[in-house]
């Protein structure tokens, strides 16, 4: 606290903080807008269409895998770790 309140540091917030502020839309806002579909979803739709056109079970299975959440395992591991830490 002494360092923050010292004269050497005082007044530097006005100088440095405005350059750190974000300008424009955040990624969360862009994702929430729904204006553009995720490339993952577009790839899945393309694979589904080609699978239907070619009657390919392999492409259909691949489309399902592409559509799934790639961070599902990571999310589950984090949740499990939190449960273990709470015990």
């Amino acid at each position: 606290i002494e360092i923050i309140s010292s004269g050497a540091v005082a007044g530097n917030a006005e100088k440095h903080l405005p350059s750190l502020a974000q300008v424009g839309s955040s990624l969360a806002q862009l994702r929430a807008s729904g204006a553009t579909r995720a490339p993952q979803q577009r790839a899945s739709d393309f694979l589904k269409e080609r699978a239907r056109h070619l009657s390919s079970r392999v492409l259909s299975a691949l489309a399902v895998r592409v559509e799934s959440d790639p961070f599902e395992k990571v999310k589950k591991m984090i949740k499990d770790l939190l449960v273990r830490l709470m015990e």
Side-chain angles (χ1 to χ4, degrees):
I1 294 191
E2 292 177 28
I3 295 172
I4 293 173
S5 61
S6 71
V9 178
N12 285 325
E14 293 80 21
K15 178 180 173 185
H16 296 288
L17 290 180
S19 66
L20 297 176
Q22 287 185 347
V23 178
S25 300
S26 69
L27 292 176
Q29 289 172 331
L30 291 174
R31 180 178 287 173
S33 70
T36 59
R37 294 187 324 161
Q40 182 178 351
Q41 183 62 43
R42 288 187 300 161
S44 175
D45 292 344
F46 174 77
L47 289 171
K48 285 179 186 176
E49 175 61 32
R50 296 306 296 168
R52 188 176 53 78
H53 179 71
L54 299 171
S55 300
S56 172
R57 289 183 177 172
V58 174
L59 280 179
S60 181
L62 180 61
V64 170
R65 275 196 81 170
V66 166
E67 191 174 25
S68 68
D69 184 10
F71 294 107
E72 188 173 338
K73 285 184 180 180
V74 175
K75 290 177 188 176
K76 183 183 180 319
M77 288 172 56
I78 291 172
K79 286 179 184 177
D80 291 345
L81 179 62
L82 288 174
V83 168
R84 285 180 35 201
L85 288 172
M86 299 283 268
E87 292 176 348

